[in-house]
């Protein structure tokens, strides 16, 4: 892969900043998530300065579909590293199985097409 497509933004984010969007997503797209034959892949493109919104999205989507996979994709490698450090520090790593962080941009470096 070459350089990720896009530009680094200031990355405004905070805990619960996107809770309403997450709830809307869970309600509006629950049928899509539930109807997927394999574990559905959801991409959070450009998660920002902190991986917290991707982590919260993962937790909320898990209430709809227990095997959902969420990939936080960010163009800034330091932000991706912070997400990976979070996963490595987890006391209960099984609680976050299916959550990943990946360097990338609009080219979406995913192993398969995302459902959302």
């Amino acid at each position: 892969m070459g350089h990720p497509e896009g530009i680094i933004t200031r990355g405004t984010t905070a805990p619960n900043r996107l809770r309403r969007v997450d709830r809307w997503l869970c309600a509006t797209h629950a049928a899509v998530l539930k109807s997927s034959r394999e574990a559905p892949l959801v991409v959070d493109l450009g998660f920002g300065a902190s991986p917290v919104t991707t982590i919260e999205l993962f937790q909320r989507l898990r209430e709809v579909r227990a095997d959902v996979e969420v990939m936080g994709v960010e163009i800034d490698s330091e932000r991706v590293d912070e997400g990976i450090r979070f996963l490595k520090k987890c006391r209960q790593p099984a609680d976050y199985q299916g959550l990943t962080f990946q360097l990338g941009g609009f080219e979406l470096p995913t192993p398969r097409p995302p459902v959302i």
Side-chain angles (χ1 to χ4, degrees):
M1 178 176 102
H3 190 307
E5 295 179 32
I7 58 169
I8 297 172
T9 64
R10 64 188 175 122
T12 305
T13 191
N16 283 315
R17 180 173 181 263
L18 298 177
R19 70 184 176 282
R20 289 182 178 173
V21 173
D22 292 351
R23 280 192 236 141
W24 174 84
L25 188 72
C26 288
T28 305
H29 296 289
V32 172
L33 293 168
K34 291 177 180 177
S35 67
S36 180
R37 293 178 198 226
E38 61 183 333
L41 174 62
V42 175
V43 172
D44 182 3
L45 179 60
F47 58 81
S50 162
V52 68
T53 53
T54 303
I55 295 163
E56 291 173 345
L57 174 63
F58 175 76
Q59 292 167 336
R60 291 177 180 124
L61 290 174
R62 280 283 162 120
E63 295 175 15
V64 175
R65 173 99 183 232
D67 65 343
V68 70
E69 295 177 11
V70 174
M71 177 183 286
V73 176
E74 177 57 57
I75 197 166
D76 184 341
S77 62
E78 290 178 23
R79 295 173 183 178
V80 173
D81 291 344
E82 186 176 342
I84 293 168
R85 279 192 299 276
F86 166 82
L87 293 173
K88 288 181 179 179
K89 292 188 317 185
C90 287
R91 291 189 175 145
Q92 301 292 329
D95 291 346
Y96 295 97
Q97 189 172 356
L99 176 61
T100 58
F101 295 94
Q102 175 72 43
L103 181 66
F106 290 109
E107 76 283 355
L108 288 183
T110 60
R112 62 185 188 281
V115 174
I116 298 174

